[in-house]
Amino acid sequence: MSWSEMQPLLTQACADTFYMVGWSTLVAVAAGLPLGVLLVLTDRGGLLQNVLANKVIGQVVNVARSMPFIILMVALMDFTRTVTGTTIGRDAAIVPLAIGAIPFFARLVETAVREVDGGLVEAVQSMGGDTWTIVRKVLVPESLPSLVAGATTTVVTLIGYSAMAGTVGAGGLGDIAIRYGYQRFQTELMWVTVAILAVVISLIQFAGDFTARSLHRRGGGSGPAPKLRLLKAKRPAAADVGKVA
């Protein structure tokens, strides 16, 4: 197969892959972020401690994470048909992709949030901050570099999942590799597909690592700078109390 014949196929396949991965990433981040934070808040010693709720949520996440993606796609076919009206095509693939990525990203969020210094939370509590304030002003901002790294890992994982989705007619680069590279023995097209996936994943990983490092240098993540800001915020209040007394 010549390059002029490959180009339109690869262009459409790349567009399908980016479409599936992009939308499923948005859904996974939107649902996985609050789920991961909730796992931390409801744990023992958390701000919303609820051991039963934590165990139930954690078990659901573990079961969803342990299921192979190809089985998850088959298991969700009826649900996918209800949501999208079909089980074939890139729109249908977004449903299992997103559902498979939500628990994966939630665990990464949980790990990132647990790394936040507890002293920061205590400082905000001492200044009258409620749970929502602590989540919005401390837990998420301070764990942002790790969250970006987790989102990058999720995107890379979803690209691999989207290639598997191609085996059931979802389109994308995986579909090209299966239909042309495997079924029609056009190995040159398959290797071009592999090369494109490798380049895309490398670029995404580089961009994610660069963003995470940039956020860390600007003050994201627990460290001396955030602690100092909170202590400075507390001292004037203490001084004002002394003057009033």
Side-chain angles (χ1 to χ4, degrees), residues 34-131:
L35 185 60
V37 172
L38 188 62
L39 283 169
V40 177
L41 296 178
T42 57
D43 200 4
R44 295 184 185 275
L47 297 173
L48 301 175
Q49 179 175 316
N50 189 321
V51 178
L52 178 60
N54 183 268
K55 288 187 177 298
V56 171
I57 297 172
Q59 191 61 35
V60 171
V61 169
N62 290 338
V63 170
R65 284 186 62 199
S66 65
M67 188 174 297
F69 180 71
I70 193 71
I71 296 176
L72 182 66
M73 283 194 301
V74 176
L76 291 174
M77 277 188 174
D78 290 338
F79 178 71
T80 300
R81 185 180 292 108
T82 301
V83 174
T84 64
T86 181
T87 58
I88 299 175
R90 62 182 193 178
D91 290 328
I94 293 173
V95 176
L97 283 172
I99 293 177
I102 287 171
F104 180 82
F105 183 65
R107 283 301 186 189
L108 296 178
V109 171
E110 181 188 11
T111 301
V113 172
R114 288 190 188 279
E115 294 175 353
V116 176
D117 189 353
L120 299 176
V121 175
E122 294 174 359
V124 175
Q125 283 180 311
S126 68
M127 291 185 285
D130 58 10
T131 301

Side-chain angles (χ1 to χ4, degrees), residues 109 123 129 157 183:
V109 171
T157 302
Q183 296 177 348

